[in-house]
């Protein structure tokens, strides 16, 4: 796709990656992604904001060439991850003399990952500005809007904030701006869940800081540009808040149906008690869907049989993802079936030992669940419904 003008002198010069289906060899991309880069032409200087994934560097170069650029003065790098920085060597070669404008931590990461020389860098600090003549860039150091070196770039005169991963969505689209809002909301929430959620506390601080800035557009480096930024700012405020919903996320696996029978019973028991359930069979689910539910869930339940004395490896993997994504859920529980014994419960409770979630009484049954097992699941459902009702951080208005 060709370059797109946003305002006179500012163009999108990135690339859509319609076919990509996996990111970081981990994250499913059901709708592809985009790597957005932007070119700003000031009266005196030009600046490129971020680059693209190396697999699309030819598209970036073509876009820059079709703008008729023979030289570029600055390359602003907001984030060192290769989906935005990987085309830097190619840009350095195509535009000799270009200076990489970034913070010291990002310089360190760029040098270690891309083996760049010292003399190509133009270091900046928090709130530093850089004039392009009639336009001014201001840099805000905002660690952990993915990695520890991340920063934002604010184009003062146009009031446009370039945020790289922050507020992004993995979505290949011919829409330059966010238009299909339900679809983009879902993609942005998935992105938040997978990339940003572990840094919820830092993000909250950054959101507070952004209140000092008038923002007309948020130009991220994945997915469409927010030309009505309130929508995504409000969504982020909701996601990072301490409040959870009256929802239970159940992720389970079952080899022969015993754990499945327990899960089915628990789903009905919760629904009868007015609790919303999001259910994921780990054998078939897209883990990104599970991650989205972690943004809101008040309680997380892992359902697993015991396999070779341990949780089923698939459940263990999902539990590990839950742990590292650090959802704000208030409660957790384990249910499942075993044949003769093992350490399923210990392994899972050790895994979550540092978490702030309160562990509810587990329900482990031998073989297929009997009346006694179902009564234990009723008690678990009672406990979840009561806690959700009494906990001031659980939103009731659903
Ligand atoms: C490969 C395999 C390994 C197992 N290892 C154990 C074990 O170490 N300890 C145990 O108590 N049960 C073990 N079991 C038995 C299952 O935990 C038991 O059959 C359980 O009811 C299965 O639940 P499901 O129908 O939800 O898969 C194993 C079963 C399989 C198929
Ligand atoms: Fe990133
Ligand atoms: Fe990214």
């Amino acid at each position: 796709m060709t370059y797109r003008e946003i305002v006179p002198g500012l163009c999108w010069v990135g690339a859509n990656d319609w076919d990509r289906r996996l990111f970081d060899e981990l994250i499913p991309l059901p709708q592809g992604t985009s790597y957005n880069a932007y070119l700003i032409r000031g009266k005196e200087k030009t600046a490129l904001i971020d680059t693209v994934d190396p697999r699309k560097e030819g598209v970036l170069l073509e876009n820059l060439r079709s703008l008729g650029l023979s030289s570029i003065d600055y390359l602003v790098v907001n984030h060192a991850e290769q989906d935005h920085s990987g085309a830097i060597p190619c840009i350095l070669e195509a535009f000799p003399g270009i200076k990489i404008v970034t913070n010291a931590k990002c310089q360190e990461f760029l040098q270690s990952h891309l083996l760049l020389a010292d003399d190509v860098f133009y270091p900046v600090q928090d709130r530093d500005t850089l004039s392009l003549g009639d336009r001014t860039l201001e840099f805000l150091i905002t660690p952990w809007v993915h990695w520890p070196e991340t920063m934002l770039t604010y184009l003062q005169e146009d009031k446009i904030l370039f945020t790289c991963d922050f507020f992004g969505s993995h979505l290949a689209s011919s829409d330059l701006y966010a238009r299909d809002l339900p679809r983009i909301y879902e993609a942005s929430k998935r992105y938040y869940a997978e990339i940003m959620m572990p840094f919820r506390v830092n993000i909250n601080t950054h959101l507070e800081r952004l209140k000092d800035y008038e923002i007309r557009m948020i130009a991220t480096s994945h997915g469409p540009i927010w030309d009505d930024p309130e929508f995504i700012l409000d969504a982020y405020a909701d996601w990072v808040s301490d409040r959870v919903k009256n929802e239970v996320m159940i992720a389970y696996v079952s080899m022969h149906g015993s754990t499945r029978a327990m899960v089915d019973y628990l789903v009905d028991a919760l629904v009868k008690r007015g609790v919303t359930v999001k259910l994921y069979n780990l054998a078939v689910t897209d883990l990104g869907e599970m991650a989205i539910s972690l943004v809101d869930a008040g309680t997380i339940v892992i359902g697993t049989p015991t396999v070779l004395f341990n949780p089923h490896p698939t459940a263990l993997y999902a539990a590990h993802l839950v742990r590292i994504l650090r959802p704000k859920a208030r409660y957790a529980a384990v249910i499942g079936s075993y044949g003769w014994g093992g350490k399923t419960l210990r392994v899972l409770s050790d895994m979550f030992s540092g978490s702030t979630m309160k562990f509810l009484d587990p329900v482990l049954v031998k073989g297929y669940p009997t009346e006694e097992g179902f009564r234990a699941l009723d008690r678990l459902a009672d406990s979840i419904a009561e806690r959700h009702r009494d906990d001031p951080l659980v939103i009731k208005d659903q």
Side-chain angles (χ1 to χ4, degrees):
M1 223 155 73
T2 175
Y3 69 83
R4 319 272 297 266
E5 185 178 80
I6 299 167
V7 292
L10 167 61
C11 288
W12 176 92
V13 290
N16 269 306
D17 199 341
W18 303 90
D19 299 339
R20 190 164 180 182
R21 286 293 172 270
L22 194 61
F23 192 80
D24 289 351
E25 308 301 15
L26 174 69
I27 294 171
L29 300 179
Q31 307 182 95
T33 190
S34 67
Y35 321 107
N36 302 331
Y38 301 92
L39 189 87
I40 309 172
R41 284 170 135 161
K43 276 220 155 58
E44 288 165 19
K45 305 277 184 188
T46 51
L48 174 62
I49 312 277
D50 292 315
T51 73
V52 298
D53 192 281
R55 67 184 79 192
K56 294 288 175 189
E57 63 189 20
V59 177
L60 172 64
L61 270 188
E62 186 52 40
N63 285 339
L64 293 172
R65 283 202 191 103
S66 56
L67 278 168
L69 289 159
S70 53
S71 70
I72 301 175
D73 299 290
Y74 303 116
L75 167 54
V76 175
V77 177
N78 288 313
H79 178 26
E81 192 173 1
Q82 289 89 332
D83 55 326
H84 310 289
S85 72
I88 290 177
C90 150
I91 291 292
L92 291 178
E93 200 185 313
F95 298 95
I98 191 169
K99 287 283 177 214
I100 297 177
V101 179
T102 196
N103 63 79
K105 176 68 77 195
C106 190
Q107 175 174 343
E108 174 199 324
F109 288 5
L110 289 174
Q111 292 198 272
S112 56
H113 288 83
L114 299 171
L115 313 178
L116 303 179
D118 289 332
D119 61 359
V120 295
F121 287 93
Y122 180 109
V124 291
Q125 296 183 0
D126 192 42
R127 293 209 189 254
D128 276 359
T129 57
L130 179 67
S131 174
L132 306 179
D134 54 340
R135 281 177 151 134
T136 317
L137 301 176
E138 178 180 346
F139 308 103
L140 284 94
I141 311 285
T142 50
W144 298 111
V145 288
H146 196 197
W147 286 8
E149 87 301 2
T150 46
M151 69 177 201
L152 314 180
T153 299
Y154 182 63
L155 179 54
Q156 290 180 342
E157 291 76 8
D158 302 84
K159 304 184 183 358
I160 298 175
L161 187 66
F162 299 94
T163 56
C164 203
D165 283 347
F166 199 17
F167 305 117
S169 57
H170 281 311
L171 190 62
S173 170
S174 65
D175 286 343
L176 183 59
Y177 300 107
R179 289 291 171 268
D180 184 353
L181 289 179
R183 182 165 177 243
I184 299 169
Y185 178 86
E186 194 68 5
S188 303
K189 190 170 183 180
R190 176 188 277 260
Y191 191 89
Y192 167 82
E194 291 163 338
I195 308 276
M196 299 289 158
M197 190 159 66
F199 315 114
R200 193 170 66 89
V201 175
N202 304 68
I203 289 171
N204 212 353
T205 314
H206 302 324
L207 289 178
E208 280 304 309
R209 229 181 131 195
L210 289 182
K211 289 181 179 160
D212 297 342
Y213 290 79
E214 191 186 336
I215 301 170
R216 204 156 66 81
M217 277 188 216
I218 292 179
T220 79
S221 291
H222 295 291
I225 295 169
W226 299 101
D227 57 344
D228 182 8
E230 285 309 308
F231 182 86
I232 192 66
L233 288 168
D234 287 350
Y236 262 73
D238 175 32
W239 300 335
V240 303
S241 82
D242 290 335
R243 293 183 305 275
V244 294
K245 292 188 178 152
N246 180 23
E247 279 181 19
V248 176
M249 194 286 287
I250 305 178
Y252 77 98
V253 56
S254 179
M255 300 177 293
H256 298 293
S258 296
T259 304
R260 168 89 213 196
M262 299 175 72
V263 166
D264 285 345
Y265 189 89
L266 182 63
V267 171
D268 284 348
L270 287 165
V271 171
K272 276 185 203 149
R273 288 161 177 80
V275 181
T276 302
V277 179
K278 302 281 173 71
L279 181 63
Y280 301 98
N281 176 350
L282 294 167
V284 295
T285 198
D286 161 354
L287 286 170
E289 296 288 329
M290 181 189 87
I292 295 175
S293 293
L294 292 175
V295 176
D296 298 320
T299 297
I300 292 166
V301 175
I302 304 285
T304 180
T306 296
V307 174
L308 301 175
F309 304 97
N310 280 273
H312 189 287
T314 307
L316 203 54
Y317 177 58
H320 177 70
L321 282 181
V322 170
R323 184 175 73 91
I324 60 176
L325 290 175
R326 295 164 72 190
K328 58 187 176 183
R330 312 275 298 148
Y331 310 99
V334 175
I335 66 172
S337 171
Y338 63 94
W340 49 91
K343 52 181 182 167
T344 292
L345 207 54
R346 181 150 50 86
V347 170
L348 288 173
S349 56
D350 283 355
M351 186 177 249
F352 287 100
S353 59
S355 138
T356 54
M357 290 187 287
K358 183 173 173 18
F359 261 77
L360 307 179
D361 287 343
V363 183
L364 291 193
V365 307
K366 188 166 162 59
Y368 197 81
T370 58
E371 213 33 47
E372 195 187 331
F374 291 129
R375 292 298 72 79
L377 290 168
D378 276 326
R379 287 194 295 279
L380 176 60
D382 279 338
S383 170
I384 292 171
E386 276 164 31
R387 285 164 197 274
H388 280 201
R389 192 185 59 223
D390 297 341
D391 189 327
L393 286 177
V394 179
I395 304 168
K396 310 299 183 303
D397 58 347
Q398 298 186 78

Coordinates of all heavy atoms in Angstrom, one line a residue, residues 60-109:
L60 N 8.5 0.1 3.1 CA 8.8 1.4 3.7 C 9.7 2.3 2.8 O 9.4 3.5 2.5 CB 9.5 1.2 5.1 CG 10.1 2.4 5.7 CD1 9.0 3.4 6.1 CD2 11.0 2.1 7.0
L61 N 10.7 1.6 2.2 CA 11.6 2.3 1.3 C 10.9 2.8 0.1 O 11.1 4.0 -0.3 CB 12.7 1.4 0.9 CG 14.0 1.3 1.7 CD1 15.0 0.5 1.0 CD2 14.5 2.7 2.0
E62 N 10.0 2.0 -0.4 CA 9.2 2.4 -1.6 C 8.3 3.6 -1.3 O 8.3 4.6 -2.1 CB 8.4 1.2 -2.0 CG 7.6 1.4 -3.3 CD 8.5 1.9 -4.5 OE1 9.6 1.3 -4.6 OE2 8.1 2.7 -5.3
N63 N 7.7 3.6 -0.1 CA 6.9 4.8 0.3 C 7.7 6.0 0.4 O 7.3 7.1 0.0 CB 6.2 4.5 1.6 CG 5.0 3.5 1.5 OD1 4.5 3.3 0.4 ND2 4.6 2.8 2.6
L64 N 8.9 5.9 1.0 CA 9.8 7.1 1.2 C 10.2 7.6 -0.2 O 10.3 8.8 -0.4 CB 10.9 6.8 2.1 CG 10.6 6.4 3.6 CD1 11.8 5.9 4.3 CD2 10.0 7.7 4.2
R65 N 10.6 6.6 -1.1 CA 11.0 7.0 -2.4 C 9.9 7.7 -3.2 O 10.2 8.7 -3.8 CB 11.5 5.8 -3.2 CG 12.9 5.4 -2.7 CD 13.6 4.6 -3.8 NE 14.8 4.0 -3.2 CZ 14.9 2.7 -2.8 NH1 13.9 1.9 -3.0 NH2 16.0 2.2 -2.3
S66 N 8.7 7.2 -3.0 CA 7.6 7.8 -3.8 C 7.3 9.2 -3.3 O 6.6 10.0 -4.0 CB 6.4 6.9 -3.9 OG 6.0 6.6 -2.6
L67 N 7.7 9.5 -2.1 CA 7.6 10.9 -1.6 C 8.7 11.8 -2.1 O 8.7 13.0 -1.8 CB 7.6 10.9 -0.1 CG 6.3 10.6 0.6 CD1 6.5 10.3 2.1 CD2 5.3 11.7 0.5
G68 N 9.6 11.2 -2.9 CA 10.6 12.0 -3.5 C 11.7 12.5 -2.6 O 12.4 13.5 -2.8
L69 N 11.9 11.7 -1.5 CA 12.9 12.2 -0.5 C 14.3 11.7 -0.9 O 14.6 10.6 -1.2 CB 12.6 11.5 0.9 CG 11.4 12.0 1.5 CD1 10.9 11.0 2.6 CD2 11.7 13.4 2.3
S70 N 15.3 12.7 -0.9 CA 16.6 12.3 -1.2 C 17.4 12.1 0.1 O 18.4 11.4 0.2 CB 17.3 13.3 -2.1 OG 17.2 14.6 -1.5
S71 N 17.0 12.8 1.2 CA 17.6 12.7 2.5 C 16.6 12.9 3.6 O 15.6 13.5 3.4 CB 18.8 13.7 2.6 OG 18.2 15.0 2.8
I72 N 16.9 12.3 4.7 CA 16.1 12.5 5.9 C 17.0 12.8 7.0 O 18.1 12.3 7.1 CB 15.3 11.2 6.3 CG1 14.4 10.7 5.1 CG2 14.5 11.3 7.5 CD1 13.7 9.4 5.3
D73 N 16.7 13.8 7.9 CA 17.6 14.3 8.9 C 17.5 13.4 10.1 O 18.6 13.1 10.7 CB 17.2 15.7 9.3 CG 17.3 16.7 8.1 OD1 18.5 16.9 7.7 OD2 16.3 17.1 7.6
Y74 N 16.3 13.1 10.6 CA 16.2 12.3 11.9 C 15.3 11.1 11.7 O 14.3 11.1 11.0 CB 15.5 13.2 12.9 CG 16.2 14.5 13.2 CD1 15.6 15.7 12.9 CD2 17.5 14.5 13.7 CE1 16.3 17.0 13.2 CE2 18.2 15.7 14.0 CZ 17.5 17.0 13.7 OH 18.2 18.1 13.9
L75 N 15.7 10.1 12.4 CA 14.9 8.9 12.6 C 14.6 8.8 14.1 O 15.5 8.5 14.9 CB 15.6 7.6 12.1 CG 15.0 6.3 12.5 CD1 13.6 6.2 12.1 CD2 15.8 5.1 11.8
V76 N 13.4 9.1 14.5 CA 13.0 9.0 15.9 C 12.6 7.5 16.2 O 11.8 6.9 15.5 CB 11.8 9.9 16.2 CG1 11.3 9.7 17.6 CG2 12.1 11.3 15.9
V77 N 13.2 6.9 17.2 CA 12.9 5.5 17.6 C 12.3 5.5 18.9 O 12.9 5.8 20.0 CB 14.2 4.7 17.5 CG1 13.9 3.3 17.9 CG2 14.8 4.7 16.1
N78 N 11.0 5.2 19.0 CA 10.3 5.1 20.2 C 10.4 3.8 21.0 O 10.1 3.7 22.2 CB 8.8 5.4 19.9 CG 8.5 6.8 19.5 OD1 8.9 7.7 20.2 ND2 7.7 7.0 18.5
H79 N 10.9 2.8 20.3 CA 10.9 1.4 20.9 C 11.9 0.6 20.1 O 11.9 0.7 18.9 CB 9.5 0.9 20.8 CG 9.2 -0.5 21.3 ND1 10.0 -1.1 22.2 CD2 8.3 -1.4 20.9 CE1 9.5 -2.3 22.5 NE2 8.5 -2.5 21.7
A80 N 12.7 -0.2 20.8 CA 13.8 -0.9 20.2 C 13.3 -2.3 19.6 O 14.1 -3.0 18.9 CB 14.9 -1.1 21.1
E81 N 12.1 -2.8 19.9 CA 11.7 -4.1 19.4 C 11.8 -4.1 17.8 O 11.4 -3.1 17.2 CB 10.3 -4.5 19.9 CG 10.1 -6.0 19.6 CD 8.8 -6.5 20.2 OE1 8.1 -5.8 20.9 OE2 8.6 -7.7 20.0
Q82 N 12.2 -5.2 17.3 CA 12.5 -5.3 15.9 C 11.3 -5.1 14.9 O 11.6 -4.8 13.7 CB 13.2 -6.6 15.6 CG 14.6 -6.7 16.1 CD 14.6 -7.3 17.5 OE1 13.7 -7.2 18.3 NE2 15.7 -7.9 17.9
D83 N 10.1 -5.2 15.4 CA 9.0 -5.0 14.5 C 8.9 -3.5 14.2 O 8.2 -3.1 13.2 CB 7.6 -5.5 15.1 CG 7.3 -5.0 16.4 OD1 8.2 -4.7 17.2 OD2 6.1 -4.8 16.7
H84 N 9.6 -2.6 14.9 CA 9.7 -1.2 14.6 C 11.1 -0.7 14.3 O 11.2 0.3 13.6 CB 9.1 -0.4 15.8 CG 7.8 -0.9 16.2 ND1 6.7 -0.7 15.4 CD2 7.4 -1.6 17.3 CE1 5.6 -1.3 16.1 NE2 6.1 -1.8 17.2
S85 N 12.1 -1.4 14.8 CA 13.4 -1.0 14.6 C 14.2 -1.8 13.6 O 15.3 -1.4 13.1 CB 14.2 -1.1 15.9 OG 14.5 -2.4 16.2
G86 N 13.6 -2.9 13.2 CA 14.4 -3.9 12.4 C 14.8 -3.4 11.0 O 15.8 -3.9 10.4
A87 N 14.1 -2.3 10.5 CA 14.5 -1.8 9.2 C 15.5 -0.6 9.4 O 15.8 0.0 8.4 CB 13.2 -1.3 8.5
I88 N 16.0 -0.4 10.6 CA 16.9 0.8 10.7 C 18.2 0.6 9.9 O 18.6 1.5 9.2 CB 17.3 1.0 12.2 CG1 16.1 1.5 13.0 CG2 18.5 1.9 12.4 CD1 16.3 1.7 14.5
P89 N 18.8 -0.6 9.9 CA 20.0 -0.7 9.1 C 19.8 -0.4 7.6 O 20.6 0.3 7.0 CB 20.4 -2.2 9.2 CG 19.9 -2.6 10.6 CD 18.6 -1.8 10.7
C90 N 18.6 -0.8 7.1 CA 18.3 -0.5 5.7 C 18.1 1.0 5.5 O 18.5 1.6 4.5 CB 17.0 -1.3 5.4 SG 15.9 -0.7 4.2
I91 N 17.5 1.7 6.5 CA 17.2 3.2 6.4 C 18.6 3.9 6.5 O 18.8 4.9 5.8 CB 16.3 3.6 7.5 CG1 14.9 3.1 7.3 CG2 16.3 5.2 7.7 CD1 14.2 3.7 6.1
L92 N 19.5 3.4 7.4 CA 20.8 4.0 7.5 C 21.6 4.0 6.2 O 22.3 4.9 5.8 CB 21.6 3.4 8.6 CG 21.2 3.6 10.0 CD1 22.1 2.8 11.0 CD2 21.1 5.0 10.4
E93 N 21.4 2.9 5.5 CA 22.1 2.7 4.2 C 21.4 3.6 3.1 O 22.2 4.2 2.3 CB 22.0 1.2 3.8 CG 23.0 0.8 2.8 CD 22.8 -0.6 2.4 OE1 22.6 -1.5 3.2 OE2 22.9 -0.8 1.1
A94 N 20.1 3.6 3.1 CA 19.4 4.4 2.1 C 19.5 5.9 2.3 O 19.5 6.7 1.3 CB 18.0 4.0 2.0
F95 N 19.7 6.3 3.5 CA 19.7 7.8 3.8 C 20.9 8.1 4.7 O 20.8 8.3 5.9 CB 18.4 8.2 4.5 CG 17.2 8.0 3.7 CD1 16.4 6.9 3.8 CD2 16.8 9.0 2.7 CE1 15.3 6.7 3.0 CE2 15.7 8.8 1.9 CZ 14.9 7.6 2.1
P96 N 22.1 8.1 4.1 CA 23.3 8.3 4.9 C 23.3 9.6 5.6 O 22.7 10.6 5.0 CB 24.5 8.3 3.8 CG 23.9 7.8 2.6 CD 22.4 7.9 2.7
G97 N 23.8 9.7 6.8 CA 23.8 11.0 7.6 C 22.6 11.1 8.5 O 22.5 12.0 9.3
I98 N 21.6 10.3 8.3 CA 20.4 10.4 9.2 C 20.8 10.1 10.6 O 21.7 9.2 10.9 CB 19.3 9.3 8.7 CG1 18.0 9.6 9.4 CG2 19.8 7.9 8.8 CD1 16.8 8.8 8.8
K99 N 20.2 10.8 11.6 CA 20.6 10.6 13.0 C 19.4 9.9 13.7 O 18.2 10.3 13.5 CB 20.8 12.0 13.7 CG 22.1 12.6 13.3 CD 23.3 12.0 14.0 CE 24.6 12.6 13.6 NZ 25.7 11.6 13.6
I100 N 19.8 9.0 14.5 CA 18.7 8.2 15.3 C 18.5 9.0 16.6 O 19.4 9.1 17.5 CB 19.2 6.8 15.6 CG1 19.4 6.0 14.3 CG2 18.2 6.1 16.5 CD1 19.9 4.6 14.4
V101 N 17.3 9.5 16.7 CA 16.9 10.3 17.9 C 16.2 9.4 18.9 O 15.1 8.8 18.6 CB 15.9 11.4 17.5 CG1 15.5 12.2 18.7 CG2 16.6 12.3 16.5
T102 N 16.8 9.1 20.0 CA 16.2 8.3 21.0 C 16.8 8.5 22.4 O 17.8 9.2 22.5 CB 16.2 6.8 20.6 OG1 15.3 6.1 21.4 CG2 17.6 6.2 20.8
N103 N 16.2 7.8 23.4 CA 16.8 7.9 24.8 C 17.9 6.9 25.0 O 18.1 6.0 24.2 CB 15.6 7.7 25.8 CG 15.0 6.3 25.7 OD1 15.6 5.4 26.2 ND2 13.9 6.2 25.0
A104 N 18.6 7.1 26.1 CA 19.8 6.3 26.3 C 19.6 4.8 26.4 O 20.3 4.0 25.9 CB 20.5 6.8 27.6
K105 N 18.5 4.5 27.1 CA 18.1 3.0 27.3 C 17.8 2.4 25.9 O 18.3 1.3 25.6 CB 17.0 2.9 28.2 CG 16.4 1.6 28.5 CD 17.2 0.6 29.3 CE 17.4 0.7 30.7 NZ 18.5 -0.1 31.3
C106 N 17.1 3.2 25.1 CA 16.7 2.6 23.8 C 18.0 2.5 22.9 O 18.2 1.6 22.1 CB 15.7 3.5 23.1 SG 15.0 2.8 21.6
Q107 N 18.9 3.5 23.0 CA 20.2 3.4 22.3 C 20.9 2.1 22.7 O 21.4 1.4 21.8 CB 21.0 4.6 22.6 CG 22.4 4.5 21.9 CD 23.3 5.8 22.0 OE1 22.8 6.8 22.3 NE2 24.6 5.6 21.8
E108 N 21.0 1.9 24.0 CA 21.6 0.6 24.4 C 21.0 -0.6 23.8 O 21.7 -1.5 23.3 CB 21.5 0.6 26.0 CG 22.0 -0.7 26.6 CD 21.4 -0.9 28.0 OE1 21.2 0.1 28.7 OE2 21.2 -2.1 28.3
F109 N 19.7 -0.6 23.8 CA 19.0 -1.8 23.2 C 19.2 -1.9 21.7 O 19.4 -3.0 21.1 CB 17.5 -1.8 23.5 CG 17.2 -2.1 24.9 CD1 18.1 -2.2 25.9 CD2 15.8 -2.2 25.3 CE1 17.8 -2.4 27.2 CE2 15.5 -2.4 26.7 CZ 16.5 -2.5 27.6

